[in-house]
Amino acid sequence: MPNPEALPTLAERVEAMENFMQQFLLLVELEPELTRENIGAWMELCSHSARAHGLQTTRQALAMTHLRARLLGPSLDIERVTPGAWLS
């Protein structure tokens, strides 16, 4: 039985990315004003639903948590530009 506390394997990380892309594309279709907060909340909602329905293992949840932290962490923060303003 795999250790649920061990870091996700490469295969688990790839699967998490595939799941994220599916969730992200659905979000893009539904949410006109995307923010990092919206994306994070959506990912958490999808993961919670998957766990509640027995569709996500503990290790898959861990992989998604690591992915969320990497994708939405402060190191990827961008400056929001006022619509119509020039970038300098």
Side-chain angles (χ1 to χ4, degrees), residues 37-87:
E37 293 78 19
N38 292 354
I39 295 169
W42 181 261
M43 289 176 72
E44 182 59 35
L45 179 67
C46 289
S47 291
H48 178 73
S49 178
R51 285 190 303 274
H53 290 92
L55 301 173
Q56 188 178 61
T57 67
T58 302
R59 293 208 34 91
Q60 289 169 329
L62 179 65
M64 286 299 284
T65 298
H66 282 276
L67 178 62
R68 230 183 347 268
R70 288 188 59 127
L71 291 176
L72 304 174
S75 63
L76 296 180
D77 198 5
I78 59 170
E79 183 176 333
R80 301 210 187 272
V81 177
T82 306
W86 286 92
L87 297 175

Side-chain angles (χ1 to χ4, degrees), residues 12-64:
E12 290 168 327
R13 291 173 61 193
V14 168
E15 183 179 11
M17 282 297 301
E18 290 171 348
N19 289 334
F20 165 74
M21 290 306 298
Q22 290 172 351
Q23 294 170 8
F24 182 70
L25 291 174
L26 180 59
L27 181 62
V28 167
E29 291 176 348
L30 300 175
E31 179 59 52
E33 296 184 31
L34 276 181
T35 65
R36 180 179 22 199
E37 293 78 19
N38 292 354
I39 295 169
W42 181 261
M43 289 176 72
E44 182 59 35
L45 179 67
C46 289
S47 291
H48 178 73
S49 178
R51 285 190 303 274
H53 290 92
L55 301 173
Q56 188 178 61
T57 67
T58 302
R59 293 208 34 91
Q60 289 169 329
L62 179 65
M64 286 299 284

